[in-house]
């Protein structure tokens, strides 16, 4: 039996529907709306009916479009639109509508409004969380990747592109394998296949080829995401462990060197004591004992170096600060040292007559270490020159030898623990700890150290100790175009619209940061893009500030408008290396160029555009 619905039944359907339903006349005036629609928008019948539908659309193009389709008697299917609610909020909807024509004219149209706000919000949240994941993955210092259940790589973060110097497409799929060291590929694939088969954690060490650096050891790790007992995805990272690997290797080497170094004096002591025993009473015996004593001192020195190193590692190196006469300290250290080293004459060319607050024993240790290296590494020379002077509120001490010298690539590494130059390590005994301990002592006094050296000509080792914690600053500035003080001069060159900066004397992290922030302020105030950065008058070593300059300061300067940075080298090798390192680790794309000559730097900045292309 077929039922025929009454118009009351139909009305009941429409009113009870969960989708919004309305009808508008040819002008857009609302002639009917069901409960669901008015509830959705928060209006009563009185407030809704009779008003024009255009008023309730946040996006007028959508409703204009819908109306134009209806006027052409076309059906509107799932047209997206945004409706305005009474409380000011909006709802995302899909509109389905058809027109009713009378005498060839649009009479009214029926409209179904489906609320999809929750759906669009969920989609937006998903997109946002994807973008956040991407951002987080790109911010990680590691390579981050994901792979499908079958092991095919389907995502890598930006670090991978940067490391390999290729586009992501070249790495995805199987492409990544080409960046693994040929000797490590088999082992890596074997482990990966095993994890894919068993769903077990993937962990392997291999060397990856990093553009511009060569192969570096990495630790790859990946965990599977399991749903309903099946692996659906792998989440992995490759972490650079090259420095740890090298440190481990150095440690092993060190243990073998240390055992050897300790054994040599011990064997000699044993031999001389035996000789003394055999010759008791003869005039030779005291001589043998004296020689044994000499080796006991060597042994003692080695052991105290080892103890100092472990103290430094444990952060337990302590200092006995006292007021002392610096000139006396230098004189006494040289005199004590000379007695044990008759092969070289030590010439004290100048001596700073100044009172200093520091640890006498430890500073003497630094000086003696420099002196014994100077003797050890200049076997064919017979003199060493020592100078101590006060410069820019620092005591600067230098020890110059005329020996084997040092190749530039080793210079900054010599103060690292266990570092010895391979080519000479066999010939000269040592543990590679003396300079490391010295640098810690100098840093413990707030000072710094550096080396100037010419292979086959000799080396000069320097350390400087600040006389006062903070330098009294004498500042001249108009707060806009110039700032002159004892460690930096900043001038704004109006004609060439560039900042001209002259760094003066010894620099350290504190002075570099202070000067850097002043430059930022003056760059912003004058809105210029070019900087002429002159290090001709810089002395010493400021390598502790290189990372800050490259990774923090350059990006700040770039955001403030810096485009071109002409950097005139300091004649001090260590300072030049600190500058180079800042640019090597620099984040951002400020154009930088190094110069030995100020004229060339000015020229580069003046017609920079043509130079840069
Ligand atoms: P060690 O002399 O015990 O090896 P140091 O820490 O004192 O350890 O020195 C580290 C390395 O620096 C030395 O192995 C040597 O290669 C190099 N070196 C130090 N002083 C000099 C110097 N005056 N001339 C040349 N090379 C030097």
């Amino acid at each position: 039996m077929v039922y025929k619905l009454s118009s009351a039944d139909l009305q009941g359907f429409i009113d009870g529907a969960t989708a919004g339903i309305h009808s508008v006349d040819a002008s857009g005036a609302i002639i009917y709306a069901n409960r669901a629609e008015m509830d959705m928008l928060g209006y009563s019948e009185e407030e809704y009916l009779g008003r024009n539908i255009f008023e309730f659309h946040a996006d007028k193009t959508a409703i204009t479009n819908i109306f134009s389709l209806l006027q052409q008697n076309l059906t509107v299917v799932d047209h997206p639109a945004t409706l305005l609610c009474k409380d000011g909020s909006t709802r995302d909807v899909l509109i389905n509508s058809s027109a009713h024509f009378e005498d060839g004219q649009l009479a009214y149209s029926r409209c179904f409004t489906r609320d999809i706000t929750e759906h669009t919000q969920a989609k937006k949240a998903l997109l946002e969380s994807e973008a956040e994941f991407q951002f987080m993955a790109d911010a990680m210092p590691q390579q981050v990747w994901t792979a499908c259940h079958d092991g095919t790589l389907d995502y890598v973060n930006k670090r991978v592109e940067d490391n390999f110097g290729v586009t992501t497409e070249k790495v995805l799929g199987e492409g990544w394998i080409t960046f693994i060291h040929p000797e490590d590929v088999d082992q890596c694939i074997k482990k990966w296949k095993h994890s894919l088969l068993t769903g077990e954690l993937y962990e392997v060490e291999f060397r990856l080829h990093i553009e511009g650096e060569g192969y570096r050891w990495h630790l790859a790790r990946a965990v599977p995401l399991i749903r309903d007992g099946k692996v659906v995805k792998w989440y992995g990272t490759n972490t650079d462990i090259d420095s740890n690997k090298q440190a481990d290797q150095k440690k092993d080497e060190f243990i073998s060197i240390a055992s050897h170094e300790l054994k040599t004096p011990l064997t000699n002591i044993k031999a001389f004591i035996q000789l003394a025993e055999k010759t008791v009473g003869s005039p030779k015996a005291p001589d043998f004992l004296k020689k044994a004593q000499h080796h006991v001192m060597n042994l003692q020195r080695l052991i105290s170096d080892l103890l100092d190193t472990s103290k430094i590692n444990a952060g337990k190196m302590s200092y006995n600060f006292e007021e002392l006469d610096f000139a006396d300290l230098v004189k006494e250290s040289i005199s004590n040292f000379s007695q044990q080293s008759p092969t070289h004459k030590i010439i004290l060319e100048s001596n700073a007559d100044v009172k200093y607050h520091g640890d006498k024993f430890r500073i003497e240790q630094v000086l003696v270490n420099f002196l014994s290296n100077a003797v050890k590494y200049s076997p064919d020379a017979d003199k060493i020159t020592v100078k101590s002077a006060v410069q820019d509120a620092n005591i600067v001490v230098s020890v110059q030898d005329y020996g084997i010298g040092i190749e530039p690539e080793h210079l900054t590494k010599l103060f690292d623990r266990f570092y010895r130059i391979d080519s000479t390590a066999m010939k000269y005994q040592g543990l590679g700890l003396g300079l490391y301990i010295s640098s810690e002592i100098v840093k413990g006094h707030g000072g710094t150290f550096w080396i100037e050296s010419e292979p086959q000509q000799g080396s000069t080792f320097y350390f400087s100790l600040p006389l006062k914690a903070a330098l009294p600053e004498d500042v001249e500035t108009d707060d806009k175009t110039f700032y002159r003080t004892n460690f930096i001069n900043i001038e704004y060159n109006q004609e060439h619209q560039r900042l001209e900066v002259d760094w003066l004397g010894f620099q350290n992290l504190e002075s570099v940061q202070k000067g850097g922030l002043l430059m930022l302020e003056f760059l912003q105030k004058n809105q210029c893009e070019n900087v002429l950065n002159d290090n001709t008058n810089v002395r010493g070593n400021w390598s502790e500030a290189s990372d800050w300059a490259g990774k923090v300061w350059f990006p700040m300067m770039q955001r403030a408008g810096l485009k071109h940075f002409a950097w005139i080298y300091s004649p001090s090798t260590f300072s030049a290396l600190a500058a180079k390192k800042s640019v090597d680790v620099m984040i951002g794309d400020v154009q930088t160029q190094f110069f030995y000559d100020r004229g060339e730097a000015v020229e580069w900045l003046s017609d920079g555009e043509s130079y840069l292309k």
Side-chain angles (χ1 to χ4, degrees):
M1 168 169 186
V2 180
Y3 286 102
K4 209 160 186 304
L5 292 178
S6 66
S7 54
D9 285 336
L10 286 171
Q11 192 61 47
F13 262 132
I14 294 170
D15 282 341
T18 49
I21 300 174
H22 70 253
S23 192
V24 295
D25 68 13
S27 71
I30 304 166
I31 46 180
Y32 169 77
N34 73 344
R35 196 60 273 146
E37 178 148 324
M38 289 183 289
D39 285 350
M40 173 172 69
L41 302 180
Y43 291 102
S44 66
E45 228 175 87
E46 293 73 40
E47 289 165 331
Y48 200 53
L49 298 187
R51 283 171 67 183
N52 197 295
I53 195 68
F54 273 77
E55 290 176 41
F56 299 95
H57 276 262
D59 174 8
K60 304 294 182 220
T61 9
I63 184 64
T64 311
N65 205 17
I66 291 168
F67 240 78
S68 122
L69 291 169
L70 293 171
Q71 271 158 348
Q72 296 166 60
N73 204 3
L74 295 170
T75 309
V76 176
V77 180
D78 283 346
H79 196 297
T82 308
L83 298 181
L84 290 165
C85 301
K86 191 178 170 186
D87 64 6
S89 61
T90 55
R91 308 298 298 174
D92 295 321
V93 294
L94 288 179
I95 290 179
N96 287 275
S97 190
S98 56
H100 181 82
F101 274 67
E102 275 172 15
D103 302 329
Q105 292 286 323
L106 174 67
Y108 63 89
S109 56
R110 299 174 214 98
C111 232
F112 294 84
T113 316
R114 191 146 48 88
D115 188 348
I116 55 157
T117 310
E118 264 73 47
H119 174 77
T120 47
Q121 274 172 357
K123 205 165 142 194
K124 199 169 146 228
L126 190 70
L127 284 175
E128 274 170 7
S129 90
E130 255 176 45
E132 273 170 30
F133 166 75
Q134 183 101 359
F135 181 78
M136 192 179 80
D138 284 342
M140 303 257 290
Q142 285 105 332
Q143 295 189 349
V144 177
W145 51 269
T146 64
C148 311
H149 67 96
D150 65 355
T152 319
L153 203 66
D154 61 358
Y155 164 80
V156 290
N157 69 344
K158 174 113 187 353
R159 171 123 350 225
V160 176
E161 269 191 8
D162 295 347
N163 277 172
F164 294 160
V166 296
T167 57
T168 300
E169 288 66 44
K170 287 234 159 66
V171 185
L172 295 183
E174 307 270 287
W176 58 282
I177 296 171
T178 55
F179 297 93
I180 299 177
H181 193 288
E183 286 171 17
D184 304 334
V185 172
D186 286 351
Q187 155 90 339
C188 159
I189 299 214
K190 202 168 135 206
K191 290 224 171 156
W192 186 219
K193 279 191 176 155
H194 176 82
S195 292
L196 292 177
L197 195 71
T198 59
E200 281 172 23
L201 170 91
Y202 166 66
E203 195 168 275
V204 66
E205 290 181 6
F206 50 52
R207 284 159 286 180
L208 284 178
H209 194 271
I210 307 299
E211 198 194 30
E213 293 182 46
Y215 284 104
R216 288 183 69 83
W217 279 102
H218 281 73
L219 168 71
R221 257 182 124 255
V223 285
L225 173 69
I226 296 172
R227 272 201 202 116
D228 301 328
K230 283 202 181 118
V231 173
V232 285
K233 208 163 183 83
W234 287 88
Y235 289 84
T237 50
N238 299 338
T239 310
D240 189 325
I241 51 163
D242 205 69
S243 321
N244 304 13
K245 277 259 178 198
Q246 279 185 14
D248 281 352
Q249 204 181 339
K250 279 237 151 30
K251 227 177 229 168
D252 291 345
E253 275 170 25
F254 172 73
I255 290 171
S256 109
I257 294 172
S259 342
H260 175 77
E261 289 285 310
L262 292 171
K263 219 173 131 202
T264 316
L266 205 60
T267 316
N268 288 330
I269 293 165
K270 237 167 91 184
F272 284 120
I273 288 180
Q274 275 170 1
L275 282 171
E277 259 175 359
K278 280 188 194 151
T279 52
V280 175
S282 91
K284 279 186 182 163
D287 216 30
F288 290 139
L289 282 178
K290 216 170 146 193
K291 284 187 174 146
Q293 172 76 10
H294 172 76
H295 290 289
V296 167
M297 273 166 66
N298 279 349
L299 197 59
Q300 199 180 10
R301 217 191 49 240
L302 286 170
I303 292 170
S304 59
D305 273 3
L306 288 170
L307 286 174
D308 280 349
T309 306
S310 72
K311 269 190 208 157
I312 294 169
N313 287 350
K316 287 191 182 141
M317 187 82 152
S318 59
Y319 300 98
N320 293 319
F321 285 94
E322 57 178 322
E323 194 75 5
L324 50 94
D325 188 316
F326 202 80
D328 282 354
L329 183 155
V330 172
K331 249 189 279 167
E332 276 169 33
S333 310
I334 293 178
S335 142
N336 292 341
F337 180 80
S338 302
Q339 286 167 18
Q340 309 158 28
S341 285
T343 49
H344 290 65
K345 188 168 162 42
I346 298 166
I347 302 158
L348 180 59
E349 268 194 8
S350 57
N351 202 358
D353 186 9
V354 62
K355 291 264 179 277
Y356 179 68
H357 193 72
D359 185 324
K360 187 167 182 281
F361 167 75
R362 292 295 183 189
I363 294 171
E364 181 169 344
Q365 191 180 349
V366 175
L367 198 54
V368 167
N369 177 244
F370 280 19
L371 287 169
S372 50
N373 278 345
V375 168
K376 182 158 67 167
Y377 297 104
S378 67
D380 300 329
D382 57 4
K383 71 165 183 175
I384 288 160
T385 313
V386 179
K387 288 184 203 160
S388 120
V390 174
Q391 287 177 29
D392 303 335
N394 287 280
I395 303 177
V396 180
V397 180
S398 65
V399 175
Q400 183 175 14
D401 66 55
Y402 306 90
I404 61 171
I406 301 157
E407 300 286 342
E409 68 265 28
H410 299 296
L411 281 180
T412 51
K413 299 185 194 139
L414 291 189
F415 292 92
D416 290 352
R417 198 160 38 127
F418 313 139
Y419 194 88
R420 310 197 70 226
I421 298 170
D422 281 345
S423 56
T424 53
M426 293 300 281
K427 193 166 165 204
Y428 303 95
Q429 288 188 335
L431 288 177
L433 290 178
L435 289 180
Y436 168 66
I437 297 168
S438 300
S439 76
E440 287 298 317
I441 294 173
V442 170
K443 278 192 243 164
H445 284 75
T448 170
F449 48 83
W450 66 99
I451 312 166
E452 306 282 340
S453 185
E454 191 74 41
Q456 311 311 326
Q457 303 291 319
S459 316
T460 309
F461 281 69
Y462 295 86
F463 66 88
S464 79
L465 302 167
L467 278 172
K468 290 182 207 100
L471 298 178
E473 263 194 61
D474 194 3
V475 178
E476 249 182 80
T477 181
D478 67 352
D479 275 331
K480 171 120 172 100
T481 61
F482 69 90
Y483 190 103
R484 297 174 201 135
T485 185
N486 49 0
F487 70 98
I488 196 168
N489 278 350
I490 302 175
E491 309 277 338
Y492 175 58
N493 183 327
Q494 175 80 48
E495 187 190 342
H496 295 284
Q497 297 183 6
R498 67 174 173 243
L499 220 53
E500 296 185 351
V501 182
D502 198 5
W503 293 83
L504 310 166
F506 293 99
Q507 304 293 337
N508 55 28
L509 179 65
E510 195 192 335
S511 69
V512 170
Q513 288 187 334
K514 216 166 169 183
L517 294 178
L518 282 167
M519 285 170 75
L520 177 70
E521 186 187 325
F522 278 74
L523 188 92
Q524 277 168 337
K525 280 183 177 162
N526 295 292
Q527 294 194 343
C528 56
E529 298 176 349
N530 296 345
V531 171
L532 181 67
N533 190 58
D534 196 339
N535 277 13
T536 314
N537 296 311
V538 171
R539 297 284 166 266
N541 179 10
W542 52 272
S543 60
E544 71 270 32
S546 303
D547 266 357
W548 178 82
K551 293 180 183 164
V552 180
W553 182 73
F554 265 116
M556 288 196 293
M557 291 289 277
Q558 185 174 1
R559 283 195 294 276
L562 175 66
K563 293 222 165 83
H564 307 129
F565 194 83
W567 201 328
I568 304 158
Y569 271 133
S570 157
S572 151
T573 321
F574 262 70
S575 175
L577 287 171
K580 260 202 202 133
K581 188 175 166 217
S582 303
V583 170
D584 284 350
V585 300
M586 184 175 104
I587 297 173
D589 40 26
V590 171
Q591 308 257 18
T592 54
Q593 180 86 11
F594 285 106
F595 297 92
Y596 285 99
D597 180 81
R598 190 181 166 96
E600 280 175 25
V602 167
E603 202 178 317
W604 179 77
L605 279 181
S606 309
D607 51 32
E609 296 313 316
S610 58
Y611 252 85
L612 297 168
K613 275 166 198 157

